[in-house]
Amino acid sequence: LETIVTKTGGKRSLIGGERPLTVIGEKINPTGKRRLSEELLAGDFSTVREYAIAQAEAGADILDVNVGVPGIQEERVLPQAVKVIMDAVDLPISIDSANPRAIEAALKVYQGRPIVNSVTGEEKSLEILLPMVKEHDAVLIALTYDEEGPSNDPHKRLAVAQKILERAGELGIGEEDVIVDCLVRPVGVDRDAARLTLETLRLIKQKLGVNTVLGISNVSFGLPDRIWLNSVFLAMAIARGLNCAITDPTAPGIKKTLLAAELLLGHDEFATKWIQYYRKGNVR
Amino acid sequence: LETIVTKTGGKRSLIGGERPLTVIGEKINPTGKRRLSEELLAGDFSTVREYAIAQAEAGADILDVNVGVPGIQEERVLPQAVKVIMDAVDLPISIDSANPRAIEAALKVYQGRPIVNSVTGEEKSLEILLPMVKEHDAVLIALTYDEEGPSNDPHKRLAVAQKILERAGELGIGEEDVIVDCLVRPVGVDRDAARLTLETLRLIKQKLGVNTVLGISNVSFGLPDRIWLNSVFLAMAIARGLNCAITDPTAPGIKKTLLAAELLLGHDEFATKWIQYYRKGNVR
């Protein structure tokens, strides 16, 4: 299955098939970032712009945009952020919000075919967001949890993915336009968290064959040396057939892991990109 | 399947089942190491001893021993090295040589149940080494190439593994005592090398269900920043179900990847080992 996301007049990102991993840049997200939070509350988009450019230069294929600061008027700020990013770089966008009205406002200003991040298996999410995704011809990330919360049983996560796919199908949204998020939880909280995510990934690839995504950094929440853990988890997920990663390509460890995986899976002939990155002085 | 290797009076290493990866320390090998080569030619085992201790401290489960310097009298030096390692540490040994007489001499002095690294699918290897492995009740690494050399076709590598298993079986060597080496070749020489190895690994796990091993570092031969490439390849192989890795646990990047993989696969509750390693100042 091939998923297509676009920016009008800019980049067209293809996901899936025999392609290497698609990188969705995660940095435009105020969680844990004080400066960005304050700027967003003040209507200042300079860091948003800076992060957009830095991630594009580091090789992101798509940019995630989330402005979820407590107390913010997301319906107003999210579309503004989307416009700033559209001006700054030529990459497609993943509109990331828990607020359906903010998503709708962002869909209205976006030019091209974006990702809506995310639709869950909760009834209210399906009822409100799926028609919106259909109307704007967007792609959706299907987050595998529902009213019962995130399950530790990979088969239950699979069942939620199936439900979202079915409901999307009823509205005429094809399987190629649904990217399943297998759900990453912190391994510091539950020692089986990462193993269960990798098992869910295997199941979903095998049973549904749809494209998949993981928000990598959540796995290391609360632990030291997060980039290394994230890198190893990313490599393991790529080996299991992951199609998209929401991650930070401006972190050298992540960038090197992405380049190494590309090389090891046969997408970097003569190791040209690997050697080039090394020569630029990006040595550990 | 569970493979058991032992050192009499020392450690008993179990391979396979639901266990985390078994680490076979690779450092006692003169390839590319001038000082170790010169010492071995002069009958000096101080670096052998030093590497044995360092790898044991870094968490190796088994130590590979190879003394293959051009011009050396392997039949004499290999058993000497084995004795030195038996004295220095309490770990089982993997006897690594292309010279059957040297392997036999080492088997005669070794106390416990070692690994013979390796038996290939070549007729002369099968005829000479399998009876030796049987006589000394050793475990063997089955290297998946034969008279035709290493094949780029994972199905041919699988066929060689099957041949070695059958021939071993005829002598009463059980499947649990055969660890299949899926063959790692440099990705800098052939861009598909690592991908084919990972595909071979998947096939062999699926079709034969036996324990598997990879000599990780070969993948990065000739390329810059080898430890990073090796780490990513190691993580990918672990995600595909690899049971043993021949690698260097004294390299901090490798050690961290091993610890991260252990944590991510649910073998490090409360991230105790990960946090401990970090606190010791082993930060990137």
Side-chain angles (χ1 to χ4, degrees):
Chain A
L1 285 181
E2 277 189 355
T3 309
I4 303 172
V5 291
T6 64
K7 183 197 167 187
T8 305
K11 187 175 168 176
R12 189 166 177 267
S13 285
L14 290 171
I15 298 163
E18 293 302 305
R19 277 177 203 84
L21 190 82
T22 297
V23 176
I24 304 179
E26 73 179 359
K27 284 197 82 171
I28 304 170
N29 186 323
T31 311
K33 299 192 182 92
R34 173 179 281 200
R35 186 182 64 170
L36 180 55
S37 303
E38 287 171 355
E39 284 184 10
L40 289 171
L41 285 168
D44 173 0
F45 295 96
S46 31
T47 297
V48 168
R49 196 185 153 78
E50 182 196 305
Y51 283 175
I53 293 168
Q55 292 181 101
E57 282 173 357
D61 299 298
I62 296 167
L63 296 180
D64 194 75
V65 51
N66 180 311
V67 300
V69 184
I72 206 167
Q73 279 192 283
E74 249 192 289
E75 306 92 287
R76 195 172 50 80
V77 180
L78 189 58
Q80 288 176 330
V82 165
K83 279 192 205 165
V84 168
I85 299 165
M86 279 196 296
D87 280 350
V89 296
D90 270 339
L91 298 183
I93 282 176
S94 161
I95 298 165
D96 182 359
S97 173
N99 178 338
R101 282 185 304 174
I103 289 178
E104 186 161 43
L107 283 168
K108 280 181 179 159
V109 301
Y110 185 70
Q111 286 163 18
R113 186 163 208 244
I115 294 174
V116 168
N117 183 12
S118 57
V119 178
T120 73
E122 296 163 295
E123 199 52 43
K124 67 174 198 295
S125 178
L126 296 167
E127 278 175 16
I128 299 172
L129 290 174
L130 288 179
M132 218 183 265
V133 166
K134 176 65 186 169
E135 187 193 333
H136 292 273
D137 186 34
V139 164
L140 67 100
I141 287 179
L143 200 57
T144 52
Y145 78 79
D146 59 13
E147 284 83 358
E148 295 176 30
S151 169
N152 263 350
D153 178 351
H155 288 90
K156 284 200 180 158
R157 293 190 193 172
L158 170 69
V160 176
Q162 278 171 318
K163 177 166 92 171
I164 301 172
L165 279 161
E166 272 167 32
R167 295 287 290 272
E170 287 166 12
L171 295 186
I173 300 169
E175 291 190 333
E176 69 280 8
D177 290 332
V178 180
I179 306 169
V180 175
D181 187 325
C182 303
L183 215 58
V184 179
R185 296 177 58 230
V187 78
V189 175
D190 173 359
R191 75 166 175 183
D192 290 321
R195 192 176 61 75
L196 293 171
T197 300
L198 292 172
E199 176 56 16
T200 305
L201 177 59
R202 194 192 60 77
L203 254 185
I204 284 174
K205 296 301 294 179
Q206 183 195 329
K207 301 280 183 192
L208 306 177
V210 295
N211 286 321
T212 50
V213 64
L214 294 178
I216 297 297
S217 57
N218 204 27
V219 82
S220 61
F221 183 77
L223 291 172
D225 210 351
R226 294 187 65 177
I227 292 289
W228 200 287
L229 272 180
N230 295 349
S231 293
V232 172
F233 185 56
L234 177 59
M236 294 177 98
I238 294 172
R240 292 281 185 103
L242 183 70
N243 305 101
C244 305
I246 304 179
T247 188
D248 178 7
T250 70
I254 296 294
K255 181 65 187 177
K256 281 173 64 170
T257 300
L258 292 167
L259 287 170
E262 227 177 305
L263 171 57
L264 293 168
L265 292 182
H267 299 294
D268 182 11
E269 194 159 23
F270 309 123
T272 312
K273 290 186 205 169
W274 180 256
I275 292 167
Q276 209 165 46
Y277 189 77
Y278 177 80
R279 286 201 179 135
K280 280 180 189 157
N282 297 303
V283 191
R284 194 158 45 105
Chain B
L1 284 182
E2 278 189 351
T3 309
I4 303 171
V5 290
T6 64
K7 183 197 168 188
T8 305
K11 186 172 168 177
R12 190 166 175 265
S13 286
L14 290 171
I15 298 163
E18 292 302 305
R19 279 179 200 83
L21 190 81
T22 297
V23 176
I24 304 178
E26 73 179 1
K27 284 196 81 169
I28 304 171
N29 186 324
T31 310
K33 299 193 183 90
R34 173 179 281 200
R35 187 183 61 169
L36 180 56
S37 302
E38 286 171 354
E39 283 184 10
L40 288 171
L41 285 168
D44 173 358
F45 296 96
S46 31
T47 297
V48 167
R49 195 183 155 80
E50 181 196 306
Y51 282 175
I53 293 167
Q55 291 180 101
E57 283 174 355
D61 298 297
I62 296 167
L63 296 181
D64 194 76
V65 49
N66 180 311
V67 299
V69 184
I72 206 167
Q73 276 191 285
E74 252 190 290
E75 304 94 287
R76 195 171 52 79
V77 179
L78 188 58
Q80 288 175 331
V82 165
K83 279 192 205 167
V84 167
I85 299 166
M86 279 196 294
D87 280 349
V89 296
D90 270 340
L91 297 183
I93 283 177
S94 162
I95 298 166
D96 183 359
S97 172
N99 178 339
R101 281 185 303 174
I103 289 178
E104 186 161 43
L107 282 168
K108 281 182 180 160
V109 301
Y110 185 70
Q111 285 163 18
R113 185 162 208 247
I115 295 174
V116 168
N117 183 12
S118 56
V119 178
T120 73
E122 296 164 296
E123 199 51 43
K124 67 174 195 302
S125 178
L126 297 166
E127 278 175 16
I128 299 172
L129 290 174
L130 287 180
M132 218 182 268
V133 166
K134 177 62 186 168
E135 187 193 334
H136 292 272
D137 186 35
V139 164
L140 67 100
I141 288 180
L143 200 59
T144 53
Y145 78 79
D146 59 12
E147 283 84 357
E148 294 174 29
S151 169
N152 263 350
D153 178 352
H155 288 90
K156 283 201 181 158
R157 292 190 194 172
L158 170 69
V160 175
Q162 278 171 316
K163 177 166 92 173
I164 301 172
L165 279 160
E166 273 168 31
R167 294 287 292 271
E170 287 167 12
L171 295 187
I173 300 169
E175 291 190 334
E176 69 280 7
D177 290 332
V178 180
I179 306 170
V180 175
D181 187 325
C182 303
L183 215 59
V184 179
R185 296 177 56 231
V187 77
V189 175
D190 173 0
R191 76 166 176 184
D192 290 320
R195 191 176 61 74
L196 293 172
T197 299
L198 292 171
E199 175 57 17
T200 304
L201 178 59
R202 194 192 62 75
L203 254 186
I204 283 173
K205 296 301 292 178
Q206 184 195 328
K207 301 281 183 192
L208 306 178
V210 295
N211 286 322
T212 49
V213 64
L214 294 178
I216 297 298
S217 58
N218 204 27
V219 81
S220 61
F221 184 78
L223 291 172
D225 210 349
R226 293 188 64 177
I227 292 290
W228 201 287
L229 272 180
N230 294 350
S231 293
V232 172
F233 184 56
L234 178 59
M236 295 177 98
I238 294 173
R240 292 282 185 102
L242 183 69
N243 304 100
C244 306
I246 303 178
T247 188
D248 178 8
T250 70
I254 296 295
K255 180 65 187 176
K256 282 173 64 170
T257 300
L258 292 167
L259 286 170
E262 227 177 306
L263 171 58
L264 293 167
L265 292 183
H267 298 294
D268 181 12
E269 194 159 23
F270 308 122
T272 312
K273 290 187 207 170
W274 180 256
I275 292 168
Q276 211 167 43
Y277 189 77
Y278 177 79
R279 285 201 180 133
K280 282 182 190 157
N282 297 305
V283 190
R284 194 155 46 103

